[in-house]
Amino acid sequence: MRTVTYLQAINEALDEALAQDEQVFLLGEDIGVYGGGFGATSGLQEKYGKQRVRDTPISESAIAGAAVGAAMTGMRPIMELQFSDFITVAMDQLVNQAAKIHYMYGGKANVPLVMRTAAGSGTGAAAQHSQSLENWMAHIPGLKVIQPTTPYDAKGLLHAAIKDNNPVMFYEHKLLYQTEGVVPAESYTIPIGVADVKRVGNDVTIIATGIMVSKSLAAAEIVKEKGISVEVIDPRTLVPLDEETLLTSVEKTNRVIIATEAVKNSGFSGELVSIIAESKISLKLKAPIVRLGGEFVPMPAQKTLEAHAIPQIDSLVQAVEQLMKEVDN
Amino acid sequence: MKQVTVKEEPTTSIDELEALKKMWQIRIFEETLQELFDAGELYGTMHLCIGQEATAVGGASLLNESDWIVSTHRNHGHCIAKGTDIRSMFAEMLGKKTGTNEGKGGSMHIADLAVGNLGSNGIVGAGFPIAAGAALSAQMQGTKQVVLCYAGDGATNEGSFHEALNLASIWQLPVIYFIENNQYGMSSSIEQMVNIEKLSERGKSYGIQGITIDGNDLSVVSNTVSKAVKKARNGGGPTLIEALTYRHKGHSKSDKLKYRSDDECRQWQEHNDPILRLEKKLLEHNEITSKGIRQLEQSIRQEMADLVASVKLDDEPTKADLWTHVYAEEKI
C-alpha cells in the first residue's frame, strides 16, 4: 500500500468527487491558483476550471449562504473556510439556515453542503487563527460534525460527507496536514457515525479527538514500558456519535481519560463524560473520569505558552499513571 | 414620509384582473389570520403585508413556476403570488400536519419548493446570499431559471446584503434583489437608519443597476420586474429594485405603532393602497364594474372562510413527528 499525507488524502477526495459527480463544486477564498490556504485544493482549478473550483471574495457569510442556496437547488457545494475561526462570520448561514432548513421545511428541502476548514493550534497564529470550535457545531441539531485524524479517515470520511444529504462540518487539523498514512488510491467511503479503535488495550481507555489522538497513541507507547495497556478510541464523528464503541471500551477497561484540544469548559468532552456517567457502566468505574482539554484562555501566540494551553503527551502520560495509582490505592 | 421618486411609464405586462384577484386573496388571507388571532385560535407570530400586495403580485407572480423566490418574515403575499397552495398555508398557520412545512415552520418559514418558493426567513438579510446560491445553481446547470429575492428596507443594512450583491455582480448571477421599502424596520424609519435618499443607489457600489419605483402601482412593479427577469434570463446579471410601499399594520402582532402617526398611515392607505389604485384604474378603463369588484371580494372571503373551516378538521402533528426531518436520508 502507498503512503500519502493527510493533505494529499483530502486533495484526492476532492479530485475524485469532482470527477464523479457534476453537481459537486468547490467555493472559497484562494482555492484556485493558490490552492487553498493550506494547499488542499492544489491543482484542482487547473483540472476542473474556474466554474467548479471557484475563488470567492473575502465574504464568509456569502460563501456559506451561496452554498446553502446552491445545495437546496440541486448542487453539492463544498465550501472552504480558510481558518475555522472564520466560522464566526458565517455563523448565521450555517446555524440558522443550513442546519434548520430540512426540519423547518418539513423535509421538503435538503442542504447537502460540506464546510471544510482548518482548525486547531500549534502554528503560533494566536487567538483568532487557532481555535477548536467544533464543539459549537456539535451543539446544533441538523448538522453533522466530522474530525478526521488520519489520512485514511480524512479521505474516506470526506467522500462520505460529500455524498451525505445533510450539511456536514468537516474539521481538518493544521498540524495533521503533513502527517502520513496508508491510503488506498481508489475512492472509498467511511460511514459517518462509526468510531475507530486506534489502539487496543486493557487498562485505560483514552477517548481522544483531533490532534489528541496522535498524542494519546504516543503516550500509550510510553506507558507500555511500565506495563500499562492503553486503548485509544477516536470517535471520528462528533455528530452522529458512536456511543456503543466508546462504552464498550470503557466497560472493558473501567478507567477513562477524555482528551480534546478544544477548551474543556462547556464542551464536547463534558458531553462524553455525561454519556458515560449516565450509563450503568459508570457504577463499575475504578476511578473518577479524567478530563484533559484546552485551558480556558484565548490561544496565546508565544510558543511555550501555546504548548501549555493544550494537553501534551506528558500530561497524558501523567494522567494514565495517576489513574492506575488511584486504582491501586 | 418618502415620496415616490421614479415612475416608469406603465406597460401592461400582467393580466390585471387576475392580479386584482390575487391581491385580494393575499389581503383577505391576512385579514382572516388577524381574525383567527384575535379569536385566540392562532398560535405563534405573524407579520402582515397588508398594503404591500402590488410588490408581491407584480413580482413573484411574473415568474415561471420553475423560477425561484426567496422570501422574508413578511412573506404571505410572496408565497401566494408564487403559487403556494393557500389551504396548506392556512394549515401551516394553524399548526396542522397538512401545512406547507408540516407544522414545523409556522408563518415565518413557509416554503414550497415544488412551485419555486425556496422559503421565507426569520433572519433579516439571510436570504440575499441564499438567493445568490440558487442563482449560481441555475447558472451552473444552464437551466435559465431566475431568482427573485425579496427583502425589506432594513435588511439592506445587514452585511449579507453587501456580500451577496458583490458576489451576484462579479459572477453575473441571474438574481433580482427586490427591496420592499415599506419605510420601517420594525419601529425604525429607514430615513433615520440610512443617510442616502434611495436604497437602490447601493447597487452602484457593486456594479449593479439600481432602480427605485412606486411599489404600490402594480403595472410599474410588473413592468420593472419583467425587464429585470428578461435581463437575468439572458445572462445580463443582477438588478436591484427598490419599491416604495407601506405596511398598513404593525411590524408583528404585538406592535402598538407608537412610532408613527395615524395621519401618516391614513395618507398611505387613502392615496397609495395598491388594491384601491388598481381598482380605480380598472374602473376607469371599464374593465370591471363596482359590482364586479364587490362580487370578487365576496367570493374570495367565502373561499377563505371555507378553507379555514376545512383546515380546522385536519390532524395536528403527533409527538413522533418531533423527530422526523432532523436529518435528511442518505443519497441513494
Side-chain angles (χ1 to χ4, degrees):
Chain A
M1 284 288 253
R2 74 198 179 116
T3 298
V4 303
T5 63
Y6 184 94
L7 190 66
Q8 198 177 335
I10 288 163
N11 184 264
E12 277 185 12
L14 295 173
D15 191 348
E16 289 159 5
L18 283 161
Q20 287 162 7
D21 188 347
E22 282 190 358
Q23 311 311 121
V24 170
F25 73 101
L26 315 186
L27 72 167
E29 296 155 11
D30 311 305
I31 66 169
V33 174
Y34 197 89
F38 292 86
T41 57
S42 184
L44 297 177
Q45 191 179 65
E46 203 180 341
K47 198 165 172 183
Y48 297 98
K50 289 183 176 175
Q51 296 295 309
R52 295 188 68 205
V53 180
R54 197 171 268 267
D55 281 313
T56 64
I58 303 167
S59 303
E60 287 82 7
S61 166
I63 295 166
V68 171
M72 285 173 75
T73 52
M75 300 297 283
R76 303 187 84 81
I78 304 170
M79 56 176 279
E80 177 175 301
L81 288 180
Q82 204 162 87
F83 284 85
S84 72
D85 314 71
F86 304 165
I87 207 164
T88 53
V89 189
M91 212 60 170
D92 169 56
Q93 290 296 337
L94 297 173
V95 173
N96 293 323
Q97 313 300 329
K100 305 293 191 288
I101 282 170
H102 183 69
Y103 190 81
M104 204 164 67
Y105 290 7
K108 294 190 181 67
N110 291 344
V111 187
L113 71 82
V114 178
M115 188 286 302
R116 284 186 44 249
T117 192
S121 66
T123 62
Q128 297 170 342
H129 284 66
S130 304
Q131 293 171 90
S132 298
L133 299 176
E134 58 276 4
N135 291 330
W136 289 14
M137 294 322 214
H139 186 70
I140 306 298
L143 299 178
K144 294 187 178 180
V145 183
I146 301 182
Q147 209 177 358
T149 61
T150 65
Y152 178 82
D153 289 351
K155 183 171 173 181
L157 284 166
L158 184 50
H159 268 301
I162 295 165
K163 289 185 169 65
D164 199 284
N165 271 346
N166 294 281
V168 181
M169 308 295 113
F170 197 85
Y171 283 88
E172 300 157 13
H173 198 290
K174 300 176 196 96
L175 292 190
L176 293 176
Y177 278 135
Q178 297 310 323
T179 58
E180 294 190 335
V182 170
V183 175
E186 66 273 15
S187 171
Y188 60 93
T189 59
I190 294 172
I192 297 173
V194 180
D196 189 37
V197 182
K198 287 282 191 279
R199 180 192 173 100
V200 178
N202 297 311
D203 296 325
V204 177
T205 295
I206 303 181
I207 304 172
T209 61
I211 196 87
M212 287 303 144
V213 173
S214 49
K215 288 182 182 173
S216 299
L217 290 171
E221 276 301 308
I222 292 168
V223 297
K224 187 183 162 195
E225 307 290 319
K226 298 173 183 174
I228 305 170
S229 164
V230 172
E231 181 148 299
V232 178
I233 308 289
D234 177 1
R236 295 197 292 201
T237 67
L238 309 191
V239 182
L241 181 65
D242 178 2
E243 295 184 15
E244 195 184 331
T245 300
L246 310 183
L247 292 176
T248 301
S249 176
V250 174
E251 192 165 28
K252 178 171 72 172
T253 63
N254 294 314
R255 300 180 188 96
V256 192
I257 295 170
I258 294 164
T260 63
E261 177 173 347
V263 292
K264 64 181 181 183
N265 305 54
S266 305
F268 183 71
S269 62
E271 178 66 22
L272 294 174
V273 171
S274 305
I275 288 166
I276 297 164
E278 286 167 357
S279 78
K280 284 190 176 168
I281 294 165
S282 63
L283 300 171
K284 298 184 201 162
L285 289 180
K286 293 179 181 168
I289 299 168
V290 175
R291 194 156 56 112
L292 299 177
E295 298 296 331
F296 200 48
V297 296
M299 188 60 65
Q302 199 273 341
K303 196 168 188 176
T304 310
L305 293 179
E306 185 190 40
H308 281 305
I310 64 164
Q312 301 299 339
I313 298 168
D314 285 357
S315 41
L316 282 155
V317 168
Q318 279 172 26
V320 172
E321 289 175 349
Q322 186 61 36
L323 201 50
M324 292 304 288
K325 267 189 214 155
E326 283 192 25
V327 176
D328 293 340
N329 288 340
Chain B
M1 190 195 308
K2 239 180 191 172
Q3 295 303 312
V4 172
T5 50
V6 174
K7 199 159 188 173
E8 297 204 7
E9 192 59 36
T11 59
T12 307
S13 55
I14 192 166
D15 181 336
E16 292 187 329
L17 281 172
E18 200 51 42
L20 180 66
K21 185 181 167 192
K22 261 196 176 156
M23 286 162 77
W24 269 115
Q25 279 180 327
I26 292 167
R27 181 157 300 186
I28 297 170
F29 174 81
E30 291 205 324
E31 286 176 355
T32 309
L33 293 182
Q34 185 68 59
E35 285 163 20
L36 286 165
F37 179 76
D38 292 344
E41 294 187 61
L42 205 65
Y43 174 75
T45 191
M46 61 182 186
H47 305 81
L48 303 181
C49 70
I50 289 174
Q52 302 181 201
E53 293 87 352
T55 47
V57 174
S61 70
L62 274 185
L63 303 175
N64 296 333
E65 191 174 86
S66 58
D67 292 325
W68 300 108
I69 61 159
V70 169
S71 182
T72 69
H73 58 283
R74 197 172 310 285
N75 58 345
H76 303 147
H78 311 152
C79 295
I80 290 173
K82 190 67 180 77
T84 308
D85 179 50
I86 293 175
R87 186 184 192 283
S88 303
M89 286 177 65
F90 271 129
E92 188 62 25
M93 298 295 302
L94 286 162
K96 302 295 188 178
K97 173 103 175 174
T98 49
T100 48
N101 305 32
E102 300 193 12
K104 285 174 171 164
S107 169
M108 281 195 288
H109 303 294
I110 289 168
D112 187 0
L113 272 70
V115 298
N117 173 2
L118 269 183
S120 325
N121 214 306
I123 307 293
V124 171
F128 294 120
I130 294 175
L136 174 62
S137 194
Q139 188 187 66
M140 289 184 78
Q141 296 181 79
T143 61
K144 293 273 178 190
Q145 289 162 293
V146 301
V147 184
L148 179 66
C149 177
Y150 282 108
D153 42 284
T156 64
N157 291 329
E158 290 279 3
S160 55
F161 170 77
H162 302 273
E163 292 194 22
L165 258 69
N166 185 53
L167 205 66
S169 180
I170 60 168
W171 291 347
Q172 286 293 287
L173 299 176
V175 58
I176 297 135
Y177 288 113
F178 190 104
I179 309 302
E180 294 176 303
N181 181 352
N182 66 15
Q183 317 301 320
Y184 290 93
M186 209 162 153
S187 71
S188 304
S189 81
I190 192 64
E191 285 173 323
Q192 286 177 306
M193 295 300 151
V194 302
N195 199 18
I196 55 173
E197 192 192 340
K198 295 182 200 167
L199 296 175
S200 63
E201 287 172 13
R202 292 185 158 180
K204 198 183 288 176
S205 308
Y206 304 103
I208 294 179
Q209 182 193 9
I211 311 163
T212 296
I213 58 167
D214 179 351
N216 292 323
D217 185 326
L218 177 80
S219 53
V220 169
V221 175
S222 61
N223 189 32
T224 309
V225 171
S226 60
K227 280 184 196 162
V229 167
K230 195 175 168 193
K231 182 173 104 176
R233 218 186 286 291
N234 292 329
T239 305
L240 173 65
I241 299 170
E242 176 194 21
L244 301 175
T245 182
Y246 198 75
R247 64 165 146 80
H248 294 184
K249 304 287 180 181
H251 165 71
S252 65
K253 62 184 190 183
S254 54
D255 187 352
K256 302 285 187 292
L257 290 172
K258 286 191 290 190
Y259 50 88
R260 68 188 198 191
S261 68
D262 291 345
D263 185 53
E264 173 189 308
C265 196
R266 201 178 309 114
Q267 289 285 332
W268 280 92
Q269 285 175 338
E270 284 175 7
H271 303 295
N272 263 316
D273 181 319
I275 293 182
L276 294 181
R277 282 177 59 176
L278 180 59
E279 285 176 352
K280 192 173 168 224
K281 181 184 169 191
L282 291 170
L283 286 167
E284 280 169 5
H285 289 78
N286 295 320
E287 289 187 48
I288 199 166
T289 61
S290 296
K291 191 182 169 194
I293 290 170
R294 282 196 306 275
Q295 283 173 342
L296 174 69
E297 185 187 339
Q298 203 46 49
S299 71
I300 292 169
R301 284 199 191 281
Q302 189 59 50
E303 177 194 356
M304 296 295 162
D306 291 347
L307 285 176
V308 170
S310 142
V311 164
K312 281 182 177 174
L313 304 174
D314 289 358
D315 289 336
E316 290 188 0
T318 63
K319 190 177 174 185
D321 293 310
L322 177 67
W323 291 98
T324 57
H325 312 311
V326 180
Y327 289 97
E329 296 299 311
E330 292 307 302
K331 190 183 182 186
I332 300 161

